[in-house]
Amino acid sequence: MYRIAYFGPEGTFTEQAARSLAGSDTHAELVPYETIAQAMAAVRDGGTSAACVPVENSVEGPVTATLDELAEDEPLVATAEALLPIHFTVLAGRGVRREDIGTVASHPHALAQVRHWLDVNLPSARHVATSSTAAAALAVQQGEYDAAVAAPVAAERYGLPGIATEVADVEDARTRFLLLTRPGTLPEPTGCDRTSVVAAAANRTGALSELLTELAFRGINLTRLDARPIKGGFGEYRFFIDFEGHVAEPRIGDALAALRRRCAVRFLGSHPRADGVRASIQPSAGNEDFVSAADWVESVRRGDTA
Ligand SMILES: O=C(O)C(=O)Cc1ccccc1
């Protein structure tokens, strides 16, 4: 049985992402965990084979709990990703009239994505942050809060009436989720891949730009850059860098080696992009260019050519 931990409880968007990533694997068992850290710990301690967690959304940006957990403890790598369109259902407690709603609960990223709707439709309700959208639905079911902003599936899962559906301030909001495993066999390159690293750039002028220049210099397109403070090191940051390409490619391997020469780098995975965007390769920066250039250097070293 292939067990996949996911950021729960049941009824979260992450559960939906885990189901889509598990696909037709009927042997996959999905196991909910209350926090992102617990879901990732389940993989690290061998309780599950993988974990599905949210990593960024198009409105609020990075899910910082995921980034911070990826940088700490035993390494985990992303082997797949899912990209879900996100719209919410506003659930009310049984018997709670709309005009009596005094509290509305949800994950902070959810509250942020419906802030305008809440201001217009539930202007006097107090917003309460919960660990996840489904945790908010559970709390409403238990009578702790009057309403929750949740995933559409939570209405049926928690038996709560929806007072509004298809709620989203930004029409095409999307959230990206990762399937994380312990380091092992990499997915095959597809030409439409993403590689992720976290780098502890030196705390000096130009350190980050030098890392980014190593990528730009090789014609490698960034897809994400986030800075996260290093706990305890005030003013010191880790940089989460995603870019097009797969570590198996000579051009990407060359770039990763260059980053690694400059600072401590943790590889966070190479995997197919859910959006299917093909890597844009600059002239003279293709894999065959790196291979033929390396071949030429070897022939010079053998004295075969100059
Ligand atoms: O809380 C959930 O349902 C999650 O899976 C995290 C989340 C929260 C808000 C938008 C997308 C994902």
Side-chain angles (χ1 to χ4, degrees):
M1 179 65 77
Y2 185 75
R3 290 159 55 88
I4 301 175
Y6 71 87
F7 175 44
E10 288 180 32
T12 58
F13 288 104
T14 307
E15 181 189 9
Q16 284 177 240
R19 290 194 183 286
S20 72
L21 288 165
S24 56
D25 181 350
T26 54
H27 299 293
E29 178 193 0
L30 301 189
V31 186
Y33 287 81
E34 283 303 306
T35 67
I36 286 169
Q38 289 170 4
M40 293 169 70
V43 187
R44 290 178 168 131
D45 63 23
T48 65
S49 307
C52 183
V53 296
V55 65
E56 64 172 340
N57 78 59
S58 53
V59 174
E60 270 303 278
V63 179
T64 56
T66 296
L67 299 189
D68 293 344
E69 283 300 318
L70 280 170
E72 302 287 347
D73 300 324
E74 291 305 306
L76 295 178
V77 295
T79 57
E81 67 176 35
L83 193 58
L84 294 189
I86 299 290
H87 54 80
F88 301 92
T89 293
V90 180
L91 307 171
R94 286 214 162 282
V96 174
R97 297 179 308 169
R98 190 183 187 118
E99 56 269 28
D100 297 331
I101 292 175
T103 53
V104 57
S106 197
H107 183 282
H109 276 217
L111 292 172
Q113 294 184 58
V114 299
R115 187 177 292 126
H116 176 71
W117 186 94
L118 292 174
D119 290 347
V120 170
N121 294 279
L122 296 173
S124 56
R126 177 168 60 88
H127 301 181
V128 181
T130 54
S131 59
S132 71
T133 62
L138 180 60
V140 169
Q141 184 195 61
Q142 294 169 342
E144 189 175 353
Y145 301 119
D146 298 329
V149 177
V153 298
E156 182 181 351
R157 174 64 191 73
Y158 293 95
L160 296 171
I163 61 172
T165 58
E166 303 286 323
V167 175
D169 291 349
V170 176
E171 186 55 39
D172 59 352
R174 295 186 296 177
T175 294
R176 189 162 62 89
F177 301 81
L178 299 178
L179 188 69
L180 301 171
T181 68
R182 288 183 296 280
T185 306
L186 290 167
E188 287 299 313
T190 64
C192 306
D193 301 307
R194 186 192 316 272
T195 291
S196 301
V197 301
V198 53
N203 187 8
R204 59 172 175 75
T205 304
L208 173 59
S209 63
E210 289 168 7
L211 295 181
L212 301 182
T213 301
E214 292 288 2
L215 296 169
F217 184 65
R218 290 169 175 78
I220 296 171
N221 186 30
L222 288 192
T223 60
R224 183 172 67 99
L225 174 64
D226 288 300
R228 288 294 297 153
I230 296 176
K231 303 289 182 264
F234 186 77
E236 292 187 40
Y237 293 86
R238 291 188 184 103
F239 297 96
F240 291 80
I241 310 171
D242 287 7
F243 45 90
E244 293 179 339
H246 190 293
V247 65
E249 296 179 68
R251 68 191 186 93
I252 300 298
D254 192 71
L256 281 178
L259 298 182
R260 182 77 177 201
R261 283 190 286 104
R262 290 181 175 278
C263 69
V265 175
R266 173 177 283 194
F267 175 70
L268 297 177
S270 288
H271 62 273
R273 294 177 59 158
D275 59 11
V277 172
R278 180 164 292 277
S280 57
I281 297 183
Q282 308 297 316
S284 79
N287 291 312
E288 64 286 350
D289 300 306
F290 278 83
V291 171
S292 62
D295 290 347
W296 174 77
V297 168
E298 285 309 310
S299 68
V300 166
R301 286 172 175 160
R302 289 193 304 270
D304 295 347
T305 183

